[in-house]
Amino acid sequence: MNRIPVYFMPGLAASGSIFERIDLPEDTFEIYLLEWFLPQNNESLQSYAERMAQKVIHDNAVLIGVSFGGILVQEMAHFLNLRKLIIVSSVKSNTELPQKMKLAKTTKIYKLLPTGLLQDAEKLVKFAFGDVMKQKLKLYENFLHMRNKEYLDWAIEQLVCWKRVKIDSNVIHIHGDADEVFPEKNIKDFIKVRGGTHIMILNRFRWFNEHLPKIILEDKI
């Protein structure tokens, strides 16, 4: 039996190492970790997604994206023939973004964020989205990968200004009911992880190890 290739895309600025505790049965699944690279000058999210999609070398693969990585994988899906598309702690359209991000798009206040001075994840999220992570971000900071100002400016703008309005019914959405960045009240049609926060891929990895195999193998639930 050929193993099912499962590609993981981390969240904004994060490394693929955030998935280091994800343990899928090796006789059934083969894990591949995608990593952020620098965008080209004024590159669109769609163009970036097309370039990232080239790193998925298997047909009929499973693609899993976390947070902003969940937004990216939905754009990548246009260029791939996927077995299943799964997002975690993310949104399926700009209608699910919280009001403060919608306001940031309207006012363009995100352009004023001092990303060039930010050296850790805690400050990045505090400036961008409010002081929502508190001590939990100390854990996330260990997995910060892309500190480049050009990338951060680009990524925050792509997140806040994502143009997708229509939700893809094929997307499987796993979301925590205690997510501080993308509150549950704005999210529709998802698999609920009770007590799951925005970084549950790190601190609720046992839930994913238990449930991901059947979510991948079963018909959409």
Side-chain angles (χ1 to χ4, degrees):
M1 175 180 175
N2 292 328
R3 293 190 294 171
I4 298 171
V6 182
Y7 286 78
F8 286 90
M9 186 74 226
L12 193 152
S15 165
S17 61
I18 67 169
F19 304 110
E20 65 183 16
R21 295 177 178 176
I22 300 300
D23 185 19
L24 304 180
E26 294 184 359
D27 59 340
T28 305
F29 305 99
E30 189 170 12
I31 291 178
Y32 297 86
L33 303 180
L34 299 171
E35 299 285 1
W36 295 103
F37 50 77
L38 287 178
Q40 296 172 350
N41 189 36
N42 295 321
E43 185 168 20
S44 68
L45 183 62
Q46 292 72 26
S47 172
Y48 189 95
E50 184 175 11
R51 291 201 293 143
M52 185 65 79
Q54 294 172 6
K55 298 183 179 296
V56 178
I57 60 175
H58 297 86
D59 192 45
N60 205 34
V62 176
L63 188 55
I64 301 176
V66 173
S67 192
F68 179 52
I71 289 176
L72 180 65
V73 297
Q74 291 175 77
E75 298 297 332
M76 291 170 62
H78 293 296
F79 308 101
L80 297 166
N81 178 33
L82 296 174
R83 177 190 182 104
K84 198 154 290 189
L85 178 60
I86 301 171
I87 65 172
V88 178
S89 306
S90 189
V91 294
K92 299 183 291 298
S93 78
N94 60 21
T95 62
E96 293 186 335
L97 290 173
Q99 189 61 37
K100 57 189 171 184
M101 291 190 191
K102 294 178 182 178
L103 181 62
K105 175 184 177 182
T106 301
T107 62
K108 298 190 184 300
I109 195 172
Y110 62 87
K111 291 182 178 291
L112 302 178
L113 296 176
T115 50
L117 302 178
L118 303 180
Q119 296 300 312
D120 59 71
E122 183 171 3
K123 291 180 181 177
L124 172 62
V125 176
K126 182 175 180 179
F127 274 104
F129 309 123
D131 189 12
V132 295
M133 295 303 210
K134 301 181 180 179
Q135 296 303 314
K136 292 178 181 178
L137 268 171
K138 291 183 179 179
L139 176 64
Y140 187 86
E141 185 180 15
N142 294 331
F143 300 93
L144 190 65
H145 165 67
M146 184 70 80
R147 299 170 184 262
N148 179 276
K149 172 176 168 53
E150 287 72 25
Y151 164 81
L152 293 172
D153 288 342
W154 174 85
I156 290 173
E157 180 172 22
Q158 301 309 314
L159 167 60
V160 173
C161 299
W162 193 32
K163 296 180 179 179
R164 177 167 298 195
V165 177
K166 185 178 180 181
I167 292 176
D168 182 353
S169 61
N170 292 318
V171 174
I172 296 174
H173 190 170
I174 303 172
H175 207 82
D177 61 6
D179 193 298
E180 312 93 332
V181 175
F182 300 124
E184 176 193 16
K185 65 181 182 180
N186 301 316
I187 309 298
K188 300 178 180 178
D189 301 325
F190 63 97
I191 299 171
K192 181 181 295 191
V193 179
R194 297 192 180 280
T197 66
H198 194 65
I199 58 170
M200 63 182 182
I201 196 69
L202 290 172
N203 55 24
R204 296 294 302 277
F205 63 91
R206 292 183 181 85
W207 186 97
F208 289 93
N209 290 343
E210 178 183 353
H211 293 91
L212 266 183
K214 59 184 178 183
I215 290 173
I216 291 173
L217 293 172
E218 291 177 355
D219 292 334
K220 185 176 178 182
I221 59 177

